[in-house]
Amino acid sequence: MSSKEDENFSLWINSTLDTFGFRPEIISFRSYWYDKLAENMNLKLEELSPFRFSLVGSAGEGVRLGKSDTDILSVFKNTVCSDNPRINVHLNILKTDYSGTAPGYTKIVLINKSSSDIRHPFHFDTMYKSTEGHPYIPCALEYFAGKSEINGPAFSSAFPYESYLFSGTDLVFSFYFTGKEHLSEWAKRSRFYAWPQHTVLNEISKMEGYIVPVGDKQSDLKCLEWRICYTTAEKKLVQHLNDAQKKLYILLKMVCKTILQPICKAITSYIVKNVVFWVAERMPELQCSVNCLMNLLQKALYFIKYCLENNHLPNYMIPGRNLLRGGVSGREKRQAIDLLSQLMKEGGAIVVRIPKLYQCMFHMVHSPERGSRYGIWRDEVEKQTMKFLVLCQKEYSRRWVPMPILSFLQVLKNMNYMKALKYFMLVVPEFPNMIVQGKFVELQYLFLARVEATMLL
């Protein structure tokens, strides 16, 4: 493609992403209301649960694709881990021990147990003790053993509900981490361009971190190691990506999920996020515009290929941690590198390999006016749906259910009738006639099908 063709194709992709759910305004709106859902959940469970919940990952960032799993970070409220802990009788106090661990990982020991009656999640490994004589806490949480399928630090939950908005939920249990060394080094390191801005650097350098129960894959003592992460800091960084950088994030997620992951499972959504951060930091702002979207994608694919060739992809927040360490087999690596080389040669033709995106772009070309009307409708439906979910959640009894089950009967039960009618009329204009004809079951199926049509990407 010529530079002009690249620009036109970039604008075409940008317009398609805007229309089908990824305008900057709707991304921000989505992230805000997901935070509202988590806030309501925490209020309901304030006295019942030892955890504080937050929606993280692509859902919490507002860039979730289709029915991808929703990631929930569950933090023990009465437990704090620190490099230099101070005793507090009301808290479980943990201390880090970095001896023999890879960058981004630590062993932890219990220095002080809370005097409260809240059940603590710890069991101890008496075979291994710190130099002070404290037993280490293994990264396998006995508190949750056998209750869920484990995927890295996440527990794939089986909540008793199914919703068009949440097809699956991954719970990551964690402890607060107050160590500032990693964030201080991150904020002070040299950068060629002005991303992230200085004010953002200062804000993030003061944020908390977390330790999650998963050890380094290649460590002999991985059962004792915990991973250090800065999940809320990364969420803040995503918020400060510009429109083109967020579109790159979404587009690269599509490429990896549809094309790369089938042959190389190590290229996860988390790796995609880190690649986008590195690209954003190392490119001038003028080159990070929506008319350069294809060029940005090429840069990102080249970066992934380079990292695979060198068996090293640095974590953005803790560069010493290699995200590819122990994650890619020789065969997968070679296949992924060959495929990336091929994708870089294809240019814009890469969208043909992403059926959902290709179909949406096809509709935008052949029916632009219809596509524009759809975009306005889908954004309004999503806004009303998110507000409806929060309203329903407020009406729920104090049960351990993070999100309401969506059904026709619950709409009428939990929502003001006029608001419910306005909402249903937006989604299903045929609503009055179907009610008169007694087609309640058909109405519910049509309603759900229409709302699912807001998630074509």
Side-chain angles (χ1 to χ4, degrees):
M1 279 188 176
S2 65
S3 58
K4 186 61 178 177
E5 288 174 328
D6 273 347
E7 181 177 343
N8 290 338
F9 201 79
S10 296
L11 293 174
W12 183 14
I13 291 178
N14 177 66
S15 177
T16 301
L17 293 177
D18 277 345
T19 300
F20 289 88
F22 296 103
R23 284 191 302 112
E25 297 82 3
I26 202 68
I27 291 175
S28 298
F29 175 90
R30 193 179 294 135
S31 178
Y32 171 81
W33 283 96
Y34 272 124
D35 285 344
K36 277 285 187 183
L37 286 169
E39 181 182 325
N40 288 345
M41 179 166 57
N42 288 322
L43 287 174
K44 286 185 178 294
L45 301 175
E46 183 69 32
E47 298 176 3
L48 301 176
S49 171
F51 310 113
R52 178 169 182 80
F53 301 94
S54 59
L55 286 165
V56 296
S58 58
E61 295 158 357
V63 295
R64 189 172 70 110
L65 297 174
K67 290 187 175 182
S68 302
D69 288 348
T70 300
D71 298 322
I72 299 181
L73 183 68
S74 309
V75 190
F76 284 92
K77 293 183 290 189
N78 71 330
T79 304
V80 176
C81 182
S82 178
D83 293 335
N84 300 292
R86 296 181 179 180
I87 301 301
N88 185 321
V89 296
H90 302 294
L91 297 174
N92 295 312
I93 302 298
L94 309 177
K95 186 178 186 300
T96 56
D97 179 355
Y98 298 107
S99 61
T101 61
Y105 294 88
T106 182
K107 300 190 291 290
I108 57 174
V109 295
L110 181 66
I111 301 299
N112 180 73
K113 190 182 297 185
S114 169
S115 60
S116 68
D117 293 331
I118 299 177
R119 180 182 176 186
H120 68 80
F122 313 116
H123 71 284
F124 306 101
D125 195 313
T126 55
M127 289 181 60
Y128 300 96
K129 292 186 178 181
S130 68
T131 54
E132 293 86 2
H134 298 291
Y136 288 110
I137 300 173
C139 67
L141 294 184
E142 188 178 59
Y143 191 74
F144 300 101
K147 295 187 179 183
S148 305
E149 179 184 348
I150 300 175
N151 180 23
F155 295 77
S156 297
S157 64
F159 291 120
Y161 73 94
E162 181 70 19
S163 164
Y164 74 93
L165 200 55
F166 302 99
S167 60
T169 306
D170 284 343
L171 283 168
V172 178
F173 294 98
S174 64
F175 303 126
Y176 286 112
F177 174 59
T178 61
K180 298 295 182 181
E181 181 179 348
H182 294 300
L183 287 181
S184 177
E185 293 178 357
W186 173 82
K188 292 177 181 178
R189 75 169 182 244
S190 298
R191 290 173 171 82
F192 295 104
Y193 302 104
W195 192 90
Q197 296 178 350
H198 186 68
T199 53
V200 179
L201 291 175
N202 286 338
E203 181 181 0
I204 290 178
S205 66
K206 298 179 176 66
M207 296 178 74
E208 74 280 355
Y210 307 91
I211 54 172
V212 297
V214 62
D216 176 40
K217 293 178 181 179
Q218 295 187 331
S219 171
D220 292 334
L221 295 176
K222 63 181 177 182
C223 62
L224 299 181
E225 294 178 349
W226 295 65
R227 182 186 296 165
I228 299 169
C229 58
Y230 294 96
T231 307
T232 49
E234 291 168 353
K235 185 175 179 180
K236 178 68 67 174
L237 283 172
V238 171
Q239 292 174 356
H240 285 276
L241 293 171
N242 67 22
D243 186 22
Q245 291 162 343
K246 286 180 182 177
K247 296 284 174 53
L248 170 64
Y249 185 14
I250 296 160
L251 185 57
L252 192 59
K253 278 162 63 72
M254 292 180 182
V255 170
C256 288
K257 182 177 181 180
T258 308
I259 305 173
L260 290 175
Q261 277 194 348
I263 66 167
C264 187
K265 294 180 180 180
I267 310 299
T268 62
S269 294
Y270 186 68
I271 279 185
V272 167
K273 183 193 302 185
N274 279 265
V275 168
V276 171
F277 287 158
W278 285 117
V279 171
E281 180 182 304
R282 297 184 177 191
M283 292 191 68
E285 187 175 0
L286 289 176
Q287 294 182 25
C288 294
S289 58
V290 292
N291 61 336
C292 299
L293 198 51
M294 287 308 300
N295 182 53
L296 288 172
L297 179 61
Q298 291 287 314
K299 298 281 188 185
L301 294 176
Y302 176 80
F303 184 74
I304 295 174
K305 178 174 176 284
Y306 175 84
C307 291
L308 283 171
E309 289 172 338
N310 291 275
N311 296 312
H312 187 81
L313 198 166
N315 178 272
Y316 185 69
M317 302 302 299
I318 309 176
R321 180 186 159 208
N322 179 10
L323 295 179
L324 296 179
R325 179 178 164 90
V328 188
S329 67
R331 182 179 180 182
E332 280 185 339
K333 173 183 170 181
R334 177 45 51 193
Q335 289 179 329
I337 290 173
D338 291 343
L339 180 55
L340 284 163
S341 299
Q342 187 175 344
L343 294 178
M344 292 167 63
K345 293 177 182 178
E346 291 180 2
I350 192 174
V351 300
V352 178
R353 294 176 178 260
I354 311 172
K356 288 184 178 180
L357 178 61
Y358 180 70
Q359 185 178 21
C360 290
M361 293 177 71
F362 179 85
H363 289 316
M364 289 296 294
V365 170
H366 290 273
S367 304
E369 292 183 4
R370 185 179 179 184
S372 179
R373 291 196 301 271
Y374 164 82
I376 295 171
W377 173 82
R378 73 142 320 277
D379 286 357
E380 185 59 27
V381 168
E382 181 172 2
K383 288 179 180 180
Q384 295 303 321
T385 301
M386 293 298 294
K387 291 178 181 178
F388 154 72
L389 285 172
V390 172
L391 187 61
C392 282
Q393 193 183 47
K394 287 182 179 179
E395 298 295 327
Y396 260 61
S397 60
R398 299 178 73 177
R399 288 182 293 165
W400 205 90
V401 179
M403 305 297 168
I405 308 168
L406 182 62
S407 74
F408 176 65
L409 294 178
Q410 286 166 345
V411 171
L412 297 180
K413 178 181 177 182
N414 292 294
M415 203 172 188
N416 174 281
Y417 282 100
M418 290 305 296
K419 289 183 178 179
L421 179 60
K422 182 179 179 181
Y423 175 49
F424 269 87
M425 287 291 289
L426 174 65
V427 180
V428 186
E430 307 94 330
F431 180 81
N433 291 334
M434 295 184 75
I435 289 292
V436 171
Q437 297 171 24
K439 297 181 177 180
F440 296 104
V441 176
E442 293 89 339
L443 175 58
Q444 181 170 346
Y445 281 116
L446 181 59
F447 170 78
L448 292 174
R450 293 273 177 86
V451 177
E452 285 187 352
T454 64
M455 300 187 300
L456 295 181
L457 286 179

